[in-house]
Amino acid sequence: MNILVAGAGGFIGGHLVSRLISEGHQVRAVDKKALGDWYQIHPKAENLVLDLSLKAEAYKSTENVEWVFNLAADMGGMGFIEANKALCMLSSLINTHLLMGSVENKVKRYFFSSSACVYASWHQQTSVDIALKEDDAYPAEPEDGYGWEKLFGERMCRHFSEDFGLEVRIARYHNVYGPHGTYDGGREKAPAAACRKVHELATGAASKIQIWGDGNQVRSFTYITDCIDGTLKLMNSEYSMPLNIGSAESITIQQLYDIALKAADVSQAEFEYDFTAPQGVRGRSSENTLCRETLGWAPSVAIDEGIRLTYAWISQELNSRNNLKI
Ligand code: NAD
């Protein structure tokens, strides 16, 4: 098939292009970042630098493709989305123009990457009973900015399907992590930040580890291979409503750091807790009954294993960056 991956220079997009190429598809990989800033570049793909928030560039990207994966968005971890609500909402221009281009160019199937941030905040105020099922998004009170953009994007996909007959698939990703993503600079998410901070401790670049909040916030984290497997299973299914693609293995942020320390073979660490930093909701995890019923599958990579692989990649990156400086 001919397939467009929008946001291919990003973390999930880069892994998806890799998988699609290995399965023999022709891939058009598009991102607005300069090619040198893409996390992965696959020479077998048609790699294009385009701004998909612009109608003409979104239309051009959707020409002569059968499937569209929209993974393009201005996003980051809690530190980024709390401080950049307007920027996050501007991603609705990308989805709008890609949907319009897909109808115009008779695309067969359209994928939208939504998020656990669409879930109503009152389901997430404690660290017990935190598994979020698809119905918990309404009545709506999503994460301000980023979550509203995702909820609106989901709704837009639904109405493009109802009114124009475009086949849509919508995943609600829960905290995806793994190699070839961002680990510093302000957009990184908790698992990558934990690996970076532990690496700094292990190499003597830092004497203690700073955690945002008290460390008792509960989350589930989805390893990238599970994310890609779930994305492709959903895209190949006949299910057109939003579906959780997320691990159900929940841990506290403190436990996440303990797992990263184990991956680095560090037995002791001093922690400092920053109560002024963004902490997000109190508890959030993925409820996977619908995912299992619909796809006959659910994420399975254990957090210890995922962090072991992620830590290995991030510490290698940081080591080679430091060697370059010497
Ligand atoms: P990412 O930031 O690594 O990748 C997004 C890519 O989109 C970036 O490379 C960026 O340059 C590109 N982009 C932004 N604006 C663009 C534009 N106007 N035109 C073309 N490209 C543009 O993020 P990711 O982690 O790979 O996330 C991919 C998708 O999954 C996003 O929609 C994100 O909101 C969603 N999601 C991710 C997670 C996660 O934990 N990573 C969780 C929930 C949802």
Side-chain angles (χ1 to χ4, degrees):
M1 258 194 293
N2 291 315
I3 298 176
L4 166 66
V5 177
F11 166 50
I12 301 174
H15 285 277
L16 182 63
V17 173
S18 172
R19 176 73 72 86
L20 292 171
I21 285 176
S22 74
E23 290 181 358
H25 299 290
Q26 300 293 319
V27 180
R28 179 176 295 152
V30 177
D31 203 289
K32 75 170 178 186
K33 290 190 295 203
L35 276 176
D37 294 331
W38 291 27
Y39 296 129
Q40 300 185 61
I41 297 187
H42 302 282
K44 284 192 179 160
E46 178 192 6
N47 296 304
L48 301 176
V49 175
L50 295 170
D51 182 348
L52 295 167
S53 67
L54 304 175
K55 187 177 168 193
E57 307 207 352
Y59 272 55
K60 183 177 162 192
S61 301
T62 48
E63 277 172 8
N64 304 317
V65 294
E66 289 147 272
W67 280 10
V68 169
F69 287 91
N70 177 11
L71 296 159
D74 240 322
M75 61 89 68
M78 197 43 68
F80 179 83
I81 64 177
E82 281 205 0
N84 295 280
K85 297 189 182 85
L87 211 54
C88 289
M89 295 205 81
L90 280 173
S91 296
S92 59
L93 287 173
I94 303 172
N95 197 44
T96 302
H97 290 140
L98 280 176
L99 281 168
M100 290 167 67
S102 295
V103 171
E104 175 77 18
N105 289 311
K106 302 193 170 33
V107 163
K108 294 208 173 78
R109 212 163 261 203
Y110 184 95
F111 176 91
F112 179 62
S113 49
S114 186
S115 162
C117 288
V118 299
Y119 285 113
S121 62
W122 61 80
H123 290 295
Q124 306 174 70
Q125 285 164 355
T126 67
S127 45
V128 288
D129 291 335
I130 53 162
L132 295 160
K133 54 187 185 313
E134 285 76 359
D135 286 349
D136 293 336
Y138 291 97
E141 199 195 331
E143 177 78 35
D144 206 0
Y146 178 70
W148 276 110
E149 189 274 323
K150 290 298 186 193
L151 202 59
F152 175 77
E154 289 185 357
R155 206 73 183 182
M156 216 167 165
C157 288
R158 173 172 164 176
H159 295 311
F160 265 69
S161 171
E162 290 167 353
D163 295 0
F164 303 127
L166 178 66
E167 285 273 348
V168 297
R169 302 291 179 264
I170 303 161
R172 289 183 181 151
Y173 290 148
H174 290 244
N175 273 317
V176 186
Y177 72 102
H180 301 287
T182 184
Y183 53 85
D184 64 3
R187 286 186 189 246
E188 66 277 19
K189 295 189 155 203
C195 290
R196 188 198 71 234
K197 290 182 196 177
V198 165
H199 175 86
E200 286 164 356
L201 186 86
T203 54
S207 58
K208 42 179 109 151
I209 290 179
Q210 194 189 64
I211 290 187
W212 288 6
D214 63 3
N216 292 321
Q217 310 94 303
V218 180
R219 294 286 183 280
S220 68
F221 299 99
T222 313
Y223 192 62
I224 185 67
T225 50
D226 275 336
C227 168
I228 301 297
D229 288 347
T231 299
L232 292 174
K233 281 182 190 295
L234 175 57
M235 193 63 160
N236 280 297
S237 79
E238 295 311 307
Y239 193 73
S240 61
M241 298 300 282
L243 190 72
N244 281 336
I245 300 288
S247 167
E249 183 187 8
S250 50
I251 56 168
T252 65
I253 294 293
Q254 182 71 57
Q255 285 169 325
L256 174 69
Y257 276 86
D258 295 342
I259 292 167
L261 285 165
K262 201 168 122 209
D265 213 9
V266 173
S267 54
Q268 274 198 326
E270 193 181 334
F271 290 97
E272 193 174 74
Y273 299 89
D274 181 358
F275 291 93
T276 64
Q279 297 169 40
V281 295
R282 201 64 192 153
R284 167 186 292 169
S285 172
S286 181
E287 211 287 328
N288 287 342
T289 305
L290 188 58
C291 179
R292 261 190 227 95
E293 283 171 5
T294 311
L295 308 182
W297 169 92
S300 60
V301 178
I303 185 76
D304 296 68
E305 175 62 1
I307 288 293
R308 188 182 67 75
L309 296 166
T310 308
Y311 182 82
W313 180 79
I314 289 178
S315 59
Q316 194 181 30
E317 287 286 300
L318 287 167
N319 284 338
S320 54
R321 197 195 277 179
N322 290 337
N323 288 342
L324 282 178
K325 279 190 200 147
I326 294 167

